[in-house]
């Protein structure tokens, strides 16, 4: 298996994956928390390992209090990446920090406009991502968190 390093991580592919979920959510007029988004991203990466035997974005998987995440992708969303300093995703994702939850959305000047702009994915990868959206788009952040902590589904 490939040893994952920051050199293997495809920051543009991860950005397009974030865009995919935010665009789908926007089309349905859904308010999305950061927690919910990062769970969808993790589910895609995990499904890619299961389906293709390799990662989707090449990000390192991490375990936090609220469950598994894509480490560098989370840091980019939060603006705390050391590997990609500054705010390279300011035209990809907007984080609205409210007292209880952090909601995420597409900024007005988003780099991508439609799903057709996603050129980093193969057709098979897009099908996989779409299947994660179809299966989990109605799940709340807390439901996803509980699900990902359930060893029956995620040993």
């Amino acid at each position: 298996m490939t040893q994952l390093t920051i050199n293997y991580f495809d920051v543009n592919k991860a950005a397009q994956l974030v865009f995919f979920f935010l665009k789908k959510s926007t089309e349905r007029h859904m308010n999305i928390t950061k927690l919910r988004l990062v769970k969808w991203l993790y589910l895609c990466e995990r499904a890619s390992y299961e389906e293709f035997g390799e990662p989707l974005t090449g990000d390192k998987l991490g375990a936090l209090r609220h469950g598994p995440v894509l480490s560098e992708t989370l840091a980019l969303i939060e603006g705390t990446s050391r590997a990609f300093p500054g705010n390279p995703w300011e035209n990809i994702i907007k984080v609205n920090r409210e007292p209880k939850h952090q909601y995420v959305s597409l900024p007005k000047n988003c780099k991508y406009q439609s799903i057709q702009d996603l050129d980093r994915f193969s057709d098979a990868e897009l099908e996989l991502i779409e299947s994660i959206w179809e299966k989990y788009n109605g799940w709340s952040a807390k439901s996803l968190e509980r699900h990902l902590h359930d060893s029956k589904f995620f040993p």
Side-chain angles (χ1 to χ4, degrees):
M1 174 169 226
T2 305
Q3 176 64 37
L4 297 181
T5 67
I6 199 63
N7 297 327
Y8 189 73
F9 175 60
D10 188 334
V11 66
N12 295 315
K13 199 170 190 181
Q16 290 186 6
L17 186 60
V18 166
F19 171 80
F20 175 91
F21 286 106
L22 293 179
K23 180 68 172 174
K24 290 286 194 173
S25 300
T26 300
E27 290 170 355
R28 289 201 174 175
H29 307 287
M30 298 166 67
N31 290 324
I32 303 302
T33 62
K34 180 179 71 173
L35 179 62
R36 193 173 184 188
L37 174 64
V38 298
K39 296 309 168 201
W40 288 335
L41 301 174
Y42 172 80
L43 286 163
C44 286
E45 195 77 5
R46 184 177 173 100
S48 180
Y49 277 107
E50 292 171 349
E51 181 73 20
F52 308 122
E54 59 187 46
L56 187 64
T57 67
D59 202 347
K60 293 180 184 178
L61 305 179
L64 299 177
R65 182 172 60 110
H66 293 287
V69 297
L70 304 182
S71 298
E72 192 59 36
T73 302
L74 178 60
L76 282 158
I77 290 168
E78 294 177 336
T80 60
S81 173
R82 290 187 207 159
F84 302 94
N87 192 358
W89 282 7
E90 68 185 343
N91 64 352
I92 304 294
I93 186 169
K94 179 180 169 188
V95 180
N96 303 311
R97 301 182 197 293
E98 295 187 14
K100 190 170 180 160
H101 300 288
Q102 292 184 8
Y103 288 93
V104 292
S105 60
L106 293 172
K108 289 185 174 139
N109 64 336
C110 188
K111 179 178 180 177
Y112 307 108
Q113 297 301 309
S114 75
I115 300 299
Q116 286 69 41
D117 292 339
L118 307 184
D119 61 357
R120 306 294 289 184
F121 298 104
S122 69
D123 290 343
E125 289 172 329
L126 281 172
E127 284 180 27
L128 179 129
I129 296 164
E130 185 71 43
S131 73
I132 296 297
W133 169 255
E134 290 301 319
K135 183 172 182 177
Y136 294 105
N137 78 75
W139 291 43
S140 71
K142 286 298 178 185
S143 295
L144 288 166
E145 182 181 343
R146 280 191 300 275
H147 183 60
L148 289 170
H149 277 108
D150 190 334
S151 61
K152 181 170 80 175
F153 299 107
F154 298 95

